[in-house]
Amino acid sequence: MRGKLSVKQEKILTFMRQFLDENAYPPSIRDIQHGCGISSTSVVDYNLKALENMGLIRRDREVSRAIEVLGHRRNSNGIVSVPVVGQIAAGAPIDVPESGASVPDTSETIEVSERLLFGRDNVFALRVKGTSMIDALINDGDIVVFEPTNHADNGDMVAAWLKREGETTLKKYYLEGDRVRLQPMNTTMAPIYSSADNVQVQGRVLYVTRSMA
Amino acid sequence: MRGKLSVKQEKILTFMRQFLDENAYPPSIRDIQHGCGISSTSVVDYNLKALENMGLIRRDREVSRAIEVLGHRRNSNGIVSVPVVGQIAAGAPIDVPESGASVPDTSETIEVSERLLFGRDNVFALRVKGTSMIDALINDGDIVVFEPTNHADNGDMVAAWLKREGETTLKKYYLEGDRVRLQPMNTTMAPIYSSADNVQVQGRVLYVTRSMA
DNA sequence: TGTGCGTCAGAACGGGTGTTCCGATCTGGG
DNA sequence: CCCAGATCGGAACACCCGTTCTGACGCACA
C-alpha cells in the first residue's frame, strides 16, 4: 500500500496540479475522472484514498472540491520549504539528510525565496543553540540555512562534524597544515584544534534568520 | 453599481479571503451565507454578482466553489510576501506604507512564514545600510521586517522618524523624561537625543534575515 | 484449482450547490 | 403620497458531487 505510485495515481496527481494552476480551485472527483480518462468515480475515489494514505494529498470529506495537494509548489513564487532538521551547538549531533530523502511532515520548516539560495539544492536548516557565534552576528535561537558540502575554504562558516567526539558545531573553518582550527566567533571562547581527518564538513552557511517577536 | 462596497459586500470579501487562507479551496455560496450571517443564498448570489461586475472576483458559473478572489495572493502554506520598501540607515528617509495601501508589484519582496509574524498585519521590510546595529547582531545588508506601530516600549528596536532632520534610523528606543534616546548598538557610536515630539516611531522589529552567499 | 487481494466498472443514494422565481422591505426622488 | 429601483427572504428546482454497494476481472500463491 505504501509503495510506489501506480500509473493511474501518478496521472491523477499530475492532473490535479495542472488543474490547480489553471483554475484557482481544486477539481471535483468527476473532473479528475474525465481529465484522466477514468471510467468511474469510484476508481478515482479509490485512488484518492490511496494517495491520502500516502500523505500526498489531504481531503475534507463530504465537501465538494476539498482536495489539497500537499507539497505543491506554486509556480508563481519560487519558495523553498527548508526543513529544520535539528539543532547545532557544542554537543548535540545531527543527521544531515541524504540527497533526495523525504522529510517527515512533522518536522519544522522555514520558507526561503529560491533566489536567495543561488541555485543550491538539498539545503537544510538548523536551530542554533548557544552563543558561540555571537560575534558573527548569530545568536542563540537563530535558524541557519546550510548548503550541503564536504568542502570548505578558510574562513567559511560551516557545520563541522567531529568524528571522535561525536559532535557537530557551528564554527569558522581554517585548515592549518594537517590540522583544522574551528574558530568560534565569541571572544570569550577558545578555538578547537583537531586533526584534519577527524573533521568532516557537513554544510556551509547560506542564510540566517532570527525572530525578534 | 460601480461605487463603494456595501457593508455586506465588504464582509463577504473578507470572509472569502479568510476562508481561502484557511482551507485551500474556495467557499460555497452557503459557506458564505453562514459565515457572514446572511439569511438567504439569493442574497449572497446577488452580492457576488455585484462584486463580479466591479471586477473584484471572478466566477465560473454552474461550477461549485468556483469563486476566485482577484488580487488575493494564494499563499500556499501560510507564507506572506513582505515588501522591501526601502533602506534604513543614518539618512535616507523612507515611506511607510499606509494600512491597506497597495504595494507595487515591481518592488522587491521577502517571503516569511505567517507563523513567525504572530498575527501582525501590514508588515513591511527594510534593507539595513551601515553597521550602527552591529552589536545587536544586525549587519549592513540585512533585511529587517517591521510591524507598523506608533508606540514603542523602552528597549524596543524600532524604525524611528526624526521629523526635523527628515531622517529615519534603526535604533533602540528609550523614553527618558520628555526626550527620547535612540541608542545605536555599536560601541563606537554615540546615542541620539531628541525631544519626544520630534521622534515618530514607524515600526518595531519582528524578524531579521541575512544572506551569506 | 481455489482463495484472497488489489483494482476497476457501473449504478444508485442522499446531500450539497448554483440558480431562479416571487414577493417583501427599504430608500430616494418627484 | 406614490413610484421605481435596489436589496433582501424564503423556497423550490435541477444538477453536481462525494460516497457506497455490488459485482467483475486479473494476478499471485498455495
Side-chain angles (χ1 to χ4, degrees), chain A residues 151-166:
Chain A
H151 173 75
D153 294 324
N154 278 352
D156 281 351
M157 201 181 304
V158 299
W161 169 255
L162 298 172
K163 297 176 185 173
R164 277 192 296 275
E165 292 82 351

Side-chain angles (χ1 to χ4, degrees), chain A residues 59-76:
Chain A
R59 296 171 76 189
D60 273 11
R61 296 317 180 87
E62 319 253 337
V63 177
S64 72
R65 298 179 186 276
I67 305 175
E68 181 181 0
V69 180
L70 299 175
H72 179 229
R73 298 261 170 78
R74 303 274 184 231
N75 45 11
S76 54

Side-chain angles (χ1 to χ4, degrees), chain B residues 57 67 91 124 145:
Chain B
I57 64 174
I67 306 175
F124 62 97
V145 176

Side-chain angles (χ1 to χ4, degrees), chain A residues 19-189:
Chain A
F19 193 99
L20 278 169
D21 281 339
E22 290 173 358
N23 288 303
Y25 52 87
S28 71
I29 283 187
R30 282 170 178 83
D31 286 336
I32 298 172
Q33 179 192 355
H34 298 127
C36 297
I38 295 172
S39 52
S40 172
T41 60
S42 67
V43 179
V44 179
D45 185 67
Y46 174 84
N47 285 287
L48 285 182
K49 278 175 180 157
L51 289 172
E52 194 179 14
N53 282 336
M54 286 185 260
L56 294 174
I57 64 174
R58 196 184 304 151
R59 296 171 76 189
D60 273 11
R61 296 317 180 87
E62 319 253 337
V63 177
S64 72
R65 298 179 186 276
I67 305 175
E68 181 181 0
V69 180
L70 299 175
H72 179 229
R73 298 261 170 78
R74 303 274 184 231
N75 45 11
S76 54
N77 40 10
I79 294 172
V80 179
S81 287
V82 181
V84 181
V85 296
Q87 300 181 348
I88 186 167
I94 59 165
D95 292 328
V96 172
E98 297 169 16
S99 173
S102 66
V103 176
D105 275 345
T106 54
S107 78
E108 187 184 356
T109 63
I110 180 176
E111 282 67 34
V112 180
S113 289
E114 216 162 24
R115 91 187 105 86
L116 293 174
L117 300 179
F118 300 94
R120 265 72 165 200
D121 214 358
N122 295 318
V123 296
F124 61 98
L126 296 171
R127 186 183 300 276
V128 173
K129 281 292 163 190
T131 58
S132 69
M133 298 302 278
I134 195 78
D135 289 346
L137 310 180
I138 295 176
N139 201 5
D140 183 81
D142 288 6
I143 291 178
V144 178
V145 177
F146 295 85
E147 67 165 323
T149 177
N150 295 322
H151 173 75
D153 294 324
N154 278 352
D156 281 351
M157 201 181 304
V158 299
W161 169 255
L162 298 172
K163 297 176 185 173
R164 277 192 296 275
E165 292 82 351
E167 294 178 358
T168 302
T169 57
L170 176 62
K171 297 282 185 299
K172 281 212 172 189
Y173 177 94
Y174 295 93
L175 181 61
E176 300 176 337
D178 59 353
R179 70 174 189 177
V180 170
R181 172 165 56 96
L182 296 175
Q183 181 71 50
M185 291 285 106
N186 183 326
T187 50
T188 69
M189 297 184 185

